[in-house]
Amino acid sequence: MDNINSAVETLVQSSNTLFILMGAIMVLAMHAGFAFLEVGTVRKKNQVNALVKIIADFGFSAVIYFFIGYWIAYDTTFLAPASELAQNNGYELVKFFFLLTFAAAIPAIISGGIAERARFYPMLAASGLIVGFIYPFFEGLIWNGNYGFQAWLEASFGAGFHDFAGSVVVHGVGGWLALVAVLFLGIRNGRYRNGKLVAFAPSNIPFLALGAWILTVGWFGFNVMSAQTMDGISGLVAVNSLMAMVGGIIVSLLMGKNDPGFIHNGPLAGLVAVCAGSDLMHPVGALITGGVAGGLFVVLFTYLQNRMKLDDVLGVWPLHGVCGAWGGIAAGIFGSEALGGLGGVSLMAQLIGTFAGIVVAVIGGIIVYGILAKTVGLRMDQEDEYQGADLSIHKIGSINED
């Protein structure tokens, strides 16, 4: 009997390790989606920079999250003998890998907003500070119960802040950090002339579409594998993600008047919004959540570009910041039993938790970008920006015309 129990336990442990490893690989692949979405959106003279930023950010994020960020969030370090780290089929190591891919998504999100005029190494430094300190502070607050915040919400409102896969923890925080960075950087040269918008058309719609598709497919690892163990896997999460995705597609198509930029960001808006409540909502609620997110993205991106002159190149604040915040609130609405959800959520707790994420991101962003702006500077000089980041930073263009 002991042998049977041992075999079953080994099978469960190894299955859980494989499950979360597959999720980590799927979310890692999403970073290629971030890269190609940006490559397709920016002008040709900034394509190489878009590719380099995403992979460089990931490398530095991995190191600082391994030594500092994960420790801040979960009070766990890996400075132990390999024999200890390999216990339980190395599950804790693979869990770190999975959560690292979430953490590294923050710089990947910010990258799209600051494109075409940000200095390379100062922004790389900002990514390290954010992944090492700002993001894990809020991550631990929500997903590890640090500092009693979740306990206080539960005692006050009957439920803690529910964010199953990171509408607020990942996307909301990333989007609001990006807003701060965009404000510090200012508008790209030549973007507005005589008070009128000058359109910088996407350089490559097929690359933009490829990035959106890679992100969309990988998102099912992002959401479904957030269960982190085999016994927590739920088809409800998968179908809710699907319905939110298609809700975003349909609404962005209709409201965006067939614009390919809007329609390829529509599914991403829906998926951002459904992360928080994907394990609770009824599929109809997820469809509505995604549709609202798709509409929010189209309206806000258009308004910001044309009226407020906020030069967020890929629209990451409306896509991740606003749609992420909407997702946190939507979990409290459509996750309730009254609207067909599984219940166990409090709308007030969702509102407070969402607001807390915005506050942490904005304050953290002001500190990080403010210090770097005052010390080393964040923006390329005018000549380098005109020449393009590819030649001025990397000394090579994306295409050899010879």
Side-chain angles (χ1 to χ4, degrees):
M1 183 62 69
D2 289 341
N3 289 338
I4 293 174
N5 290 337
S6 177
V8 170
E9 184 177 350
T10 300
L11 179 62
V12 170
Q13 290 172 351
S14 60
S15 298
N16 286 337
T17 301
L18 178 60
F19 175 72
I20 198 170
L21 175 60
M22 292 173 63
I25 293 169
M26 290 182 72
V27 183
L28 175 61
M30 291 176 69
H31 289 261
F34 283 118
F36 278 97
L37 190 70
E38 184 173 338
V39 168
T41 305
V42 299
R43 290 169 289 176
K44 189 172 71 170
K45 62 183 180 180
N46 295 295
Q47 289 179 329
V48 173
N49 183 244
L51 293 168
V52 174
K53 280 191 301 179
I54 301 297
I55 197 166
D57 278 334
F58 190 92
F60 279 81
S61 295
V63 172
I64 199 163
Y65 192 67
F66 183 87
F67 287 105
I68 299 175
Y70 196 79
W71 170 61
I72 290 175
Y74 300 102
D75 195 25
T76 299
T77 70
F78 299 108
L79 302 179
S83 58
E84 294 182 20
L85 299 179
Q87 291 178 3
N88 299 324
N89 298 94
Y91 176 81
E92 289 300 322
L93 285 174
V94 179
K95 179 182 176 182
F96 155 77
F97 180 14
F98 180 66
L99 292 172
L100 162 66
T101 60
F102 281 51
I106 301 289
I109 290 167
I110 296 170
S111 176
I114 64 174
E116 301 202 325
R117 76 272 201 203
R119 294 180 63 200
F120 182 67
Y121 282 105
M123 283 303 176
L124 201 56
S127 297
L129 292 170
I130 287 165
V131 173
F133 299 97
I134 307 301
Y135 169 73
F137 169 76
F138 189 67
E139 177 189 19
L141 202 71
I142 303 305
W143 285 344
N144 199 48
N146 295 352
Y147 308 112
F149 179 69
Q150 289 283 41
W152 172 73
L153 287 176
E154 189 168 353
S156 301
F157 306 107
F161 177 61
H162 187 88
D163 192 355
F164 179 69
S167 283
V168 177
V169 174
V170 179
H171 299 284
V173 168
W176 285 89
L177 280 164
L179 175 64
V180 175
V182 166
L183 290 171
F184 268 102
L185 280 169
I187 300 166
R188 286 171 289 174
N189 289 324
R191 184 69 168 136
Y192 294 94
R193 296 174 190 168
N194 300 320
K196 294 183 179 180
L197 174 69
V198 176
F200 289 167
S203 60
N204 194 309
I205 295 298
F207 274 167
L208 186 157
L210 174 64
W213 271 108
I214 294 171
L215 285 166
T216 297
V217 173
W219 224 296
F220 288 86
F222 197 99
N223 284 1
V224 175
M225 270 73 167
S226 286
Q228 298 188 18
T229 57
M230 288 286 286
D231 61 348
I233 191 170
S234 171
L236 182 65
V237 175
V239 173
N240 280 343
S241 301
L242 175 70
M243 296 303 284
M245 178 190 81
V246 299
I249 291 171
I250 293 169
V251 173
S252 64
L253 171 65
L254 298 176
M255 293 185 64
K257 300 177 181 178
N258 304 327
D259 185 291
F262 285 136
I263 191 172
H264 284 97
N265 277 283
L268 308 184
L271 286 162
V272 164
V274 82
C275 287
S278 57
D279 62 328
L280 298 177
M281 296 178 180
H282 187 279
V284 175
L287 179 66
I288 297 170
T289 297
V292 170
L296 279 172
F297 176 74
V298 173
V299 170
L300 280 176
F301 183 82
T302 303
Y303 180 78
L304 291 175
Q305 295 289 320
N306 295 339
R307 299 293 181 87
M308 293 191 67
K309 299 182 181 180
L310 181 70
D311 197 8
D312 180 350
V313 180
L314 269 68
V316 297
W317 177 64
L319 181 64
H320 297 274
V322 176
C323 291
W326 158 241
I329 297 167
I333 298 171
F334 296 107
S336 65
E337 292 185 36
L339 291 177
L342 297 181
V345 287
S346 161
L347 180 57
M348 184 57 68
Q350 295 303 115
L351 289 167
I352 293 173
T354 299
F355 180 72
I358 294 171
V359 169
V360 168
V362 171
I363 293 176
I366 290 172
I367 293 171
V368 170
Y369 293 113
I371 290 173
L372 290 171
K374 291 291 185 182
T375 53
V376 297
L378 296 174
R379 182 155 180 164
M380 298 164 60
D381 63 43
Q382 189 169 356
E383 183 178 349
D384 285 344
E385 185 179 339
Y386 176 78
Q387 188 178 27
D390 293 359
L391 294 179
S392 62
I393 295 174
H394 309 291
K395 312 304 180 187
I396 192 169
S398 58
I399 297 174
N400 185 350
E401 302 287 358
D402 294 337

